[in-house]
Amino acid sequence: DMEIQCKISCNVIEQFLKLFADVLGKLKEKNNMGFEKLAYNEKFAGIIEGVVSLKAGPPHDTLMSKTGMEQLDNILNTLKGKAQIILNYIMSYLLLGSLPTPMIQSPFYSVSIRLGPYVLSSLIHACTIDYEKLEDMMQDEILNTVLVQMLKFLVILVDSSNFFALFAQFKQRIIVDIIMVMLKTTEEEKADIEDNPQNFVTLALDTCEKQESEICKTEAAKFLENMCDHIDGSLTYVSVFCSEALKYALTGKDRSQLGKYLSLNEFVNSSFL
């Protein structure tokens, strides 16, 4: 029947995406040899964009599948995670510079221009509307992969001046509604302070230094670094916002006093505050 055919089709697509993700991973290890043919292939770019943006229903401000039908959502989000890995590999290659063919001629560049705002809104959705469920999402292997790969995508794009306008326009929301929320100490990390302090210290050091853990927290730290490096005013805004947020927290978080803090006014109802 139709359900069985759908599952078979999705399984074929998943194996196709896994194969290409594995191939691109191997090519990257060999100094990106062979990347160009895929990076400038219109049909391949169309497939990847189609999978990343595939929707089976509302809500419409997130690329993650949230139909409420667990099996369907798991299938679609698994496909999206693998497609996003491929997109990230190719965009990393295109942004290396000194390519034989200009980046803007790649269909993946156009795909990234179109998907950038949707990936951004998806992460804002996860960190605001889904805030109460965010830690559970990070514990879910499928959803965590999608979140991490979306963060990686934005970390890659913010390095390029071609995407400056997107990040400059939403600078404050990115910093407060995505980065600050993702950097928050989770309940599991709080437990590690007493039960497994070495894990807590190791993660804290990785977050501040090399960001090699490939989790939401370390990708958010990398995102913050890149925002401060490439988007004018980001470092100043982070400094002012954090200073005022700290004062607000230390004075008892009296919401009636928020008017005193100019950088906090816009985010009175934010998950972070």
Side-chain angles (χ1 to χ4, degrees):
D1 62 11
M2 187 173 292
E3 182 180 355
I4 294 174
Q5 289 178 345
C6 182
K7 286 181 179 178
I8 292 172
S9 297
C10 287
N11 185 56
V12 170
I13 296 170
E14 181 182 352
Q15 294 307 312
F16 168 84
L17 294 172
K18 184 180 184 302
L19 172 65
F20 273 96
D22 291 345
V23 168
L24 289 171
K26 296 294 184 185
L27 292 177
K28 186 176 182 180
E29 291 173 4
K30 296 183 177 181
N31 298 318
N32 300 309
M33 290 175 58
F35 256 85
E36 188 173 3
K37 287 185 178 179
L38 289 175
Y40 293 88
N41 187 300
E42 291 274 359
K43 288 183 178 179
F44 189 51
I47 291 170
I48 299 306
E49 181 178 18
V51 175
V52 171
S53 56
L54 182 65
K55 295 287 291 181
H60 300 295
D61 60 341
T62 176
L63 291 171
M64 299 177 80
S65 181
K66 293 177 56 185
T67 64
M69 293 180 279
E70 185 178 357
Q71 193 171 20
L72 175 61
D73 288 337
N74 285 343
I75 290 171
L76 294 182
N77 287 324
T78 297
L79 297 180
K80 288 172 181 288
K82 293 188 185 307
Q84 190 75 59
I85 290 171
I86 292 171
L87 180 58
N88 291 349
Y89 271 135
I90 290 181
M91 287 309 296
S92 293
Y93 164 76
L94 290 173
L95 292 171
L96 284 174
S98 62
L99 297 173
T101 308
M103 174 183 71
I104 60 173
Q105 292 184 21
S106 167
F108 280 95
Y109 171 74
S110 301
V111 166
S112 295
I113 290 284
R114 290 191 291 271
L115 287 180
Y118 291 108
V119 171
L120 195 54
S121 70
S122 298
L123 286 169
I124 290 173
H125 184 105
C127 293
T128 54
I129 294 171
D130 286 339
Y131 177 71
E132 297 298 329
K133 297 182 272 185
L134 186 58
E135 287 192 28
D136 290 335
M137 292 167 70
M138 291 179 184
Q139 295 296 324
D140 182 291
E141 184 179 356
I142 294 172
L143 296 179
N144 185 61
T145 297
V146 178
L147 289 171
V148 168
Q149 294 305 321
M150 284 183 172
L151 282 165
K152 277 181 175 290
F153 180 64
L154 297 181
V155 168
I156 293 165
L157 296 194
V158 76
D159 266 346
S160 171
S161 59
N162 296 69
F163 299 92
F164 176 86
L166 172 65
F167 295 99
Q169 180 182 355
F170 297 104
K171 174 180 65 186
Q172 296 181 358
R173 289 213 70 184
I174 290 170
I175 291 169
V176 179
D177 282 339
I178 298 176
I179 294 174
M180 294 297 181
V181 172
M182 290 290 192
L183 286 174
K184 185 192 79 164
T185 301
T186 65
E187 293 302 318
E188 183 180 2
E189 289 163 24
K190 289 178 186 176
D192 276 345
I193 295 174
E194 290 189 5
D195 303 335
N196 202 335
Q198 185 57 51
N199 273 6
F200 182 82
V201 172
T202 300
L203 177 58
L205 289 173
D206 188 38
T207 301
C208 295
E209 295 176 1
K210 295 183 179 179
Q211 295 111 24
E212 294 176 337
S213 298
E214 297 215 353
I215 59 174
C216 289
K217 182 186 286 288
T218 52
E219 291 305 321
K222 200 179 297 182
F223 195 9
L224 180 59
E225 285 186 359
N226 284 10
M227 286 288 293
C228 291
D229 285 343
H230 300 290
I231 306 302
D232 299 339
S234 293
L235 183 57
T236 300
Y237 181 75
V238 170
S239 301
V240 172
F241 181 88
C242 288
S243 175
E244 293 196 339
L246 184 58
K247 289 177 186 175
Y248 170 63
L250 292 175
T251 53
K253 295 197 284 189
D254 182 354
R255 299 183 74 81
S256 67
Q257 300 298 309
L258 273 172
K260 293 180 179 179
Y261 307 108
L262 296 179
S263 67
L264 306 188
N265 274 338
E266 185 181 347
F267 298 98
V268 170
N269 298 314
S270 73
S271 304
F272 179 73
L273 290 181

